[in-house]
Amino acid sequence: MINIYEVNETNTMIEHENLDVRTITMGISLLDCADPDLGAVNEKIYAKITGMAKDLVATGQAIERDFGIPIVNKRISVTPIALVGASACKCPEDFVTIARTLDKAAGEVGVNFIGGYSALVSKGMTRAEKDLICSIPQALAQTERVCSSVNVGSTKCGLNMDAVELMGRIIKETAQATKERDSFGCTKLVVFCNAPDDNPFMAGAFHGVTEADGVINVGVSGPGVVKVALERARGKDFEVLCETIKKTAFKITRIGQLVAQEASKRLGVPFGIIDLSLAPTPAVGDSVAEILQEIGLERVGAPGTTAALAMLNDQVKKGGVMASSYVGGLSGAFIPVSEDQGMIDAVNAGALTLEKLEAMTCVCSVGLDMIAVPGDTPASSIAGIIADEAAIGMVNQKTTAVRLIPAVGKSVGDTVEFGGLLGFGPVMAVNPFSCERFVTRGGRIPAPIHSFKN
């Protein structure tokens, strides 16, 4: 049984080491909102979200006060909208009306973001799914809180290269549609392989069709806590290092378990999962890169970086699964560039490149995250990067993702500014050689041989 005494043991972590609950995310099924009439769909969606989530923000704030635990974001994830709007939406513009409804509902209940403007197209695209994907640039340009994701592959299905090629173009169009804000729309758009149904983190959260009508998922984060713990183990061998990370992850996850149980009880919504990811922020001392440097790297990107990250990710998972009955989502270590001051510094020092980041994604929780690239990067090159990252996920049976920002009017060495948790970051170089003939072949890359496990 979790009690307040366990929380009191972590007061120092909260006050001095940037420990926080990054998000309480309420998942809401919108399957019962489907209707042939578009107006009815929008009315049902608004009513269901504002009804189920009306107390979400207030409950999160009350838990913060009662337990002294910072809860940075309160968010909502919904059923992939390509499924909900399939009968009513006849063109991309129809889906944009649903995006505006989601944004209005999210504003009404006061959440930071709402995720689920999504399509799952790992094997093929329906007409509705293609229409939703084509609507993404305008949907993200016309809304503030809506986040979008597209799953283009899986270990079981292979890679839908038609969707990969299309997403290269959609990301470019989204950048252009929000160019006045450093192509901000792209920060709310993720392309996945093996997307999980229960991820509480944006921009990739959606409420999977295997989930209940409503659920509470909590994401915990504490890179600063891990770094301080490792400072006390400086000079020790790997056995001590691993034990330190595991024990620290256990304590961090127990905080998330407490918050999730309290939120579930107070809202009357079932508890889903704890995502125990180390998610950095631009704040000093809240960096995954600094953890890796504390392990022994001069800079992230130096030889040994991938091995250090693999160890960190594994020990975080091992410690976390002992602290909660239900661990899910992404769980591990995130390596976004713009959200992590240590990553930014490594790029600026010439230690970290896009290619090294790709190698690191083989062993981290997600993938190429929050990376700004030159605005003139071809859509085919963006599609090629998506294909590479999705192939890593497909072959290794893990979730991978791409969140690239081709910043319109910006070149290598320039800086993009997003503010808040999204931070700022340098524009990174992209390999200039073309892959257009590869990504435009059409069709699917088959699933790997080890996917056949029936």
Side-chain angles (χ1 to χ4, degrees), residues 317-328:
K317 291 176 187 289
K318 286 174 177 173
V321 295
M322 293 298 293
S324 174
S325 302
Y326 300 103
V327 172

Side-chain angles (χ1 to χ4, degrees), residues 144-168:
E144 287 296 319
R145 297 173 177 86
V146 173
C147 292
S148 181
S149 59
V150 178
N151 190 74
V152 297
S154 72
T155 299
K156 280 290 185 184
C157 297
L159 302 184
N160 182 348
M161 290 302 293
D162 291 326
V164 168
E165 189 273 334
L166 176 58
M167 286 310 300

Side-chain angles (χ1 to χ4, degrees), residues 28-52:
I28 300 175
S29 173
L30 299 183
L31 289 174
D32 56 353
C33 298
D35 193 285
D37 180 76
L38 182 58
V41 170
N42 280 300
E43 289 175 10
K44 290 178 180 180
I45 288 174
Y46 184 81
K48 183 152 192 191
I49 292 172
T50 55
M52 286 192 67

